[in-house]
Amino acid sequence: VETGAGGFILPNDRVDVLLTRKGGGSGARTFTDTVLSNVRILAIDQSFAVNEKGEKIFDEKINTATLELDPTQSEVVALAETTGQLTLALRSMADIRTVYEVG
């Protein structure tokens, strides 16, 4: 899993799932589309170390993200995986508050 969040995605965070793919034809362009929005992270395969100051330093290489999806969303992700590269983008805390207030 690629991430646009610099290693800061943690369980219970909300992300958008982005698909980047190349268009067909001559002079093919690259496109990025949001395939799912505001998805909850259940678990993230992320390691960290503690430096001499006692601060956590996160490893930016994430191999697996477990997302909370319904069956239709799972199908969207499975299809998107075959089409291009998936990226996770961390959502703003302001967006998350709005979802909880409305819901």
Side-chain angles (χ1 to χ4, degrees), residues 14-67:
R14 296 277 177 162
V15 296
D16 291 338
V17 180
L18 309 177
L19 169 64
T20 302
R21 58 189 166 76
K22 292 192 186 274
S26 62
R29 296 171 47 196
T30 302
F31 298 92
T32 299
D33 298 304
T34 302
V35 294
L36 296 174
S37 294
N38 201 27
V39 174
R40 186 168 77 112
I41 296 289
L42 295 177
I44 194 92
D45 174 23
Q46 191 173 52
S47 60
F48 66 89
V50 178
N51 67 14
E52 57 277 348
K53 296 179 185 177
E55 302 167 327
K56 291 182 183 177
I57 302 170
F58 287 93
D59 180 1
E60 291 193 29
K61 179 65 176 159
I62 298 171
N63 296 316
T64 305
T66 304
L67 308 176

Side-chain angles (χ1 to χ4, degrees), residues 43-97:
I44 194 92
D45 174 23
Q46 191 173 52
S47 60
F48 66 89
V50 178
N51 67 14
E52 57 277 348
K53 296 179 185 177
E55 302 167 327
K56 291 182 183 177
I57 302 170
F58 287 93
D59 180 1
E60 291 193 29
K61 179 65 176 159
I62 298 171
N63 296 316
T64 305
T66 304
L67 308 176
E68 181 178 55
L69 304 174
D70 64 30
T72 302
Q73 291 172 318
S74 296
E75 292 170 0
V76 168
V77 169
L79 179 61
E81 273 185 317
T82 66
T83 308
Q85 179 177 353
L86 295 179
T87 305
L88 300 178
L90 186 61
R91 291 186 66 92
S92 164
M93 289 300 289
D95 290 343
I96 294 168
R97 271 196 309 274

